[in-house]
Amino acid sequence: MIEVRELTKRFGEVTAVEGVSFRLDPGSVTGFIGPNGAGKSTTMRMMVGLDRPTSGTCLVDGKPYGQLSAPLRVVGSLIDPEAPHGGRSARNHLRVLARTHGIPDRRVDEVLDSVGLADAANRRIRGFSLGMRQRLGLAGALLGDPAVLLLDEPANGLDPDGIIWIRTLLRSLAAEGRTVLVSSHLMSELAQTADRLIVLGRGRVLADDSVEALTSRYGTRLSRVRPDRPADLETLLGRQDAVVTRLPDGILEVTGVEPADIAMLAQRHGILLLENSTVTASLEEAYLTLTRDHTRHIAKVTR
Amino acid sequence: MTADKQQQLSLPNLVSSEWLKLRSLRSFWFAAAGVVLLTAAGALLPALFFTADNPPTEAEAPLLVFRFGAMGGQIALLVLAVLALTSEYSSGSIRLTLVAAPRRLRVIAAKAVVVTAVSALLAVVSLPVAYVVCVPKLNSLGLHPASRSIIGGFAAHVGYLILVAAFAFAVALAVRSTAAGVGIGLGVVFVLPSVLSLLGGGLHQTLDKLGFTDAANSLFYSHSSIGTLLTDAVTVTVWVAVPLLIGGMALVRRDA
């Protein structure tokens, strides 16, 4: 079990993480999501002792990470895929990590095989693609067969096959009873993998809930209506403060009025509805709604 | 998630990891070869200028050969000791090391053990090679130094080279940059003695002994009194301990 309590990190005037608290339980994948600069990586770096928190604590099985007698066997982490020394072979890189804990070389070969790098084991890391480096980073995280995995954007740089592979891997790791925290700034990467999402914005936890709860709470419900007189219904809905978008084929996309109310309104005015359906709110929309005002870096777009 | 009590973080495991880390890089083997070659080249330099008109004494000859050999070899050894640490900072792999071994001072202790052992081994190998290269020239001058003076000179310079590596490692810990580490290391070892000598001449003071090179050299073979020995020991300790403390404190306090 891993518990983060009121973690805060300031870099001079900038507060990167502020009062972040959460608890991770075994057997589940928790998505750690937020825009670039939201504080995900800083939080994860503090969890493994790389950054010193300004205040707050992170406890793994009741102890700070730095006091674990065998850290790699308790927490496996992928923080920076570019970190391994380019002049070393993939196998030697993992052997160096394994030696710190007296982990035998056969385990190194096992994890290289499990991430699909057995053929590249003796190649120098300098020639690896980002996807291969991510796989090597995952091999390093799995080296100590840990109960907790902290993975910072592990799908970054992977090809579509690799993304499917990592989704399956994360699910199977959780199914084995492990605690998995995986960060991303793309909701699509986590939507099909995570059981629970912690949404971060400007260093604060904006939401912490199951995927379903977040979708229903923050997602926008959209109705698709095909009336026989689109212009008339659009005018009527406009008077109800609904937001209506009229598509070229006569379909109206309506937010702000429930489908049943649209049907009754149409009936009162003799408008025939050929179609009246609800488009399920997407997790992506929920995420965008949540983080809209909490993005640190917003590009100015000129048209 | 099988618990194996044998697989734990420990200083011997860290030393084993650090030794593998060093020897699994090509640059280490180039630097090691450089130590042997530069030591031999450095030793040959005075031997070439020994003449029948002005030969060294049999007691002086091995000392001169080892001293100049050590002067050459220390360049590559200094680079090796600096790289042992700074290559991790330049590549970013120090973060992986510190995640695997979060007690940072233990990591530095393990690295220091490896750097010291490797330096000792390289000194033990390269100085005899350098001497053997010079033997024909010494023999041609009719010089056949006694074993005692050869072993004495050899042991003193093994000690000196280990101190040079320790000093370079300490500087690397303080500055975390290869260029700065090598620059400061070479400056202190090669340039500072001349600067101190010039300054001392101007101020009519003996400042030479305040430099690392003089103190480390005389620590092993020219102690005229206990007082001199202690002064040399304190001087060398300060040169190594100050950067080590500065670097150690920064390592513990700063983010990685």
Side-chain angles (χ1 to χ4, degrees):
Chain A
M1 206 267 287
I2 192 159
E3 187 170 15
V4 171
R5 284 187 208 149
E6 291 296 322
L7 218 49
T8 295
K9 178 69 180 175
R10 293 194 186 92
F11 297 102
E13 297 291 305
V14 180
T15 302
V17 174
E18 191 169 11
V20 166
S21 298
F22 55 83
R23 218 177 85 152
L24 302 174
D25 294 314
S28 66
V29 177
T30 303
F32 201 35
I33 189 155
N36 290 328
K40 308 181 293 292
S41 297
T42 307
T43 303
M44 291 176 105
R45 287 168 57 86
M46 285 192 281
M47 290 169 81
V48 292
L50 282 177
D51 284 0
R52 307 294 195 208
T54 307
S55 63
T57 54
C58 172
L59 300 178
V60 184
D61 292 338
K63 286 182 188 169
Y65 182 83
Q67 286 178 21
L68 297 172
S69 58
L72 290 188
R73 296 193 52 77
V74 182
V75 180
S77 59
L78 166 57
I79 301 293
D80 179 4
E82 303 287 347
H85 197 293
R88 214 169 266 126
S89 72
R91 187 167 186 273
N92 276 338
H93 161 69
L94 292 176
R95 285 175 71 215
V96 164
L97 289 179
R99 290 272 170 106
T100 60
H101 285 59
I103 296 168
D105 287 354
R106 67 169 184 281
R107 176 65 185 160
V108 168
D109 296 326
E110 273 173 28
V111 290
L112 277 169
D113 193 41
S114 71
V115 300
L117 284 180
D119 292 342
N122 294 313
R123 273 173 54 192
R124 290 206 282 171
I125 300 166
R126 187 170 293 133
F128 279 21
S129 65
L130 178 56
M132 289 170 84
R133 284 168 190 259
Q134 290 282 24
R135 285 173 187 263
L136 182 62
L138 276 164
L142 296 170
L143 197 59
D145 195 20
V148 178
L149 284 149
L150 306 179
L151 310 172
D152 193 9
E153 311 234 4
N156 196 13
L158 291 180
D159 55 21
D161 284 349
I163 289 171
I164 293 167
W165 167 75
I166 202 165
R167 275 182 196 150
T168 315
L169 177 73
L170 295 180
R171 291 300 332 159
S172 67
L173 290 169
E176 289 166 11
R178 295 176 214 262
T179 308
V180 183
L181 179 70
V182 53
S183 81
S184 178
H185 61 276
L186 297 174
M187 182 56 87
S188 55
E189 281 178 8
L190 295 177
Q192 296 168 49
T193 318
D195 304 294
R196 169 188 160 202
L197 290 173
I198 298 171
V199 185
L200 222 58
R202 291 196 178 224
R204 291 170 169 274
V205 174
L206 302 178
D208 179 357
D209 218 328
S210 69
V211 171
E212 295 74 27
L214 281 177
T215 312
S216 62
R217 195 177 313 150
Y218 296 102
T220 315
R221 285 165 63 86
L222 181 81
S223 298
R224 282 171 64 87
V225 186
R226 189 197 296 272
D228 61 345
R229 288 155 35 212
D232 292 350
L233 186 61
E234 188 180 356
T235 309
L236 290 167
L237 284 166
R239 288 181 201 150
Q240 305 271 323
D241 289 337
V243 178
V244 184
T245 308
R246 190 168 160 187
L247 303 182
D249 57 358
I251 287 179
L252 304 181
E253 286 187 346
V254 187
T255 51
V257 179
E258 289 298 307
D261 295 331
I262 298 172
M264 285 190 282
L265 184 72
Q267 190 201 24
R268 276 205 300 275
H269 293 85
I271 297 171
L272 179 64
L273 294 187
L274 304 167
E275 182 188 332
N276 185 6
S277 60
T278 306
V279 178
T280 313
S282 76
L283 195 55
E284 192 81 46
E285 284 175 310
Y287 168 60
L288 290 173
T289 307
L290 261 168
T291 57
R292 190 171 295 139
D293 300 325
H294 296 274
T295 305
R296 219 181 269 274
H297 312 292
I298 301 171
K300 285 182 181 170
V301 180
T302 50
R303 289 170 192 263
Chain B
M1 291 185 289
T2 50
D4 189 337
K5 299 274 181 194
Q6 299 287 309
Q7 296 177 5
Q8 288 208 340
L9 202 56
S10 67
L11 193 59
N13 280 342
L14 281 174
V15 170
S16 165
S17 169
E18 290 298 331
W19 169 223
L20 175 61
K21 193 182 281 177
L22 207 56
R23 71 179 196 267
S24 59
L25 287 178
R26 278 188 205 173
S27 51
F28 164 73
W29 295 105
F30 288 133
V35 174
V36 178
L37 286 174
L38 287 173
T39 307
L44 265 176
L45 203 65
L48 289 175
F49 295 101
F50 291 161
T51 60
D53 303 335
N54 187 23
T57 64
E58 288 198 330
E60 282 174 345
L63 212 59
L64 281 169
V65 165
F66 286 129
R67 173 174 276 201
F68 278 85
M71 277 177 72
Q74 71 186 352
I75 300 170
L77 195 63
L78 194 142
V79 171
L80 190 150
V82 168
L83 273 177
L85 186 68
T86 56
S87 68
E88 284 209 54
Y89 277 101
S90 59
S91 66
S93 58
I94 190 72
R95 294 194 285 275
L96 292 167
T97 302
L98 297 179
V99 168
R103 287 176 193 171
R104 298 178 181 186
L105 290 180
R106 281 218 287 191
V107 173
I108 295 306
K111 279 185 189 295
V113 167
V114 170
V115 167
T116 307
V118 166
S119 315
L121 188 69
L122 284 170
V124 165
V125 171
S126 61
L127 288 170
V129 169
Y131 190 78
V132 168
V133 168
C134 298
V135 162
K137 179 71 180 176
L138 297 179
N139 287 348
S140 71
L141 294 170
L143 294 169
H144 300 283
S147 304
R148 197 177 154 192
S149 57
I150 298 171
I151 293 169
F154 163 73
H157 287 90
V158 167
Y160 170 74
L161 285 176
I162 292 172
L163 287 182
V164 168
F167 168 65
F169 180 77
V171 170
L173 183 64
V175 298
R176 302 182 181 199
S177 143
T178 307
V182 171
I184 293 171
L186 290 178
V188 167
V189 168
F190 284 107
V191 183
L192 192 65
S194 309
V195 173
L196 287 174
S197 182
L198 279 172
L199 269 176
L203 297 169
H204 305 291
Q205 299 282 331
T206 312
L207 298 179
D208 308 41
K209 300 281 275 178
L210 296 178
F212 170 81
T213 316
D214 266 42
N217 260 317
S218 66
L219 185 63
F220 291 102
Y221 59 81
S222 69
H223 28 88
S224 50
S225 66
I226 290 288
T228 321
L229 181 69
L230 279 175
T231 310
D232 291 337
V234 168
T235 307
V236 170
T237 306
V238 169
W239 275 105
V240 176
V242 168
L244 209 56
L245 276 173
I246 294 170
M249 276 163 58
L251 181 76
V252 171
R253 289 180 182 176
R254 277 196 220 161
D255 295 335

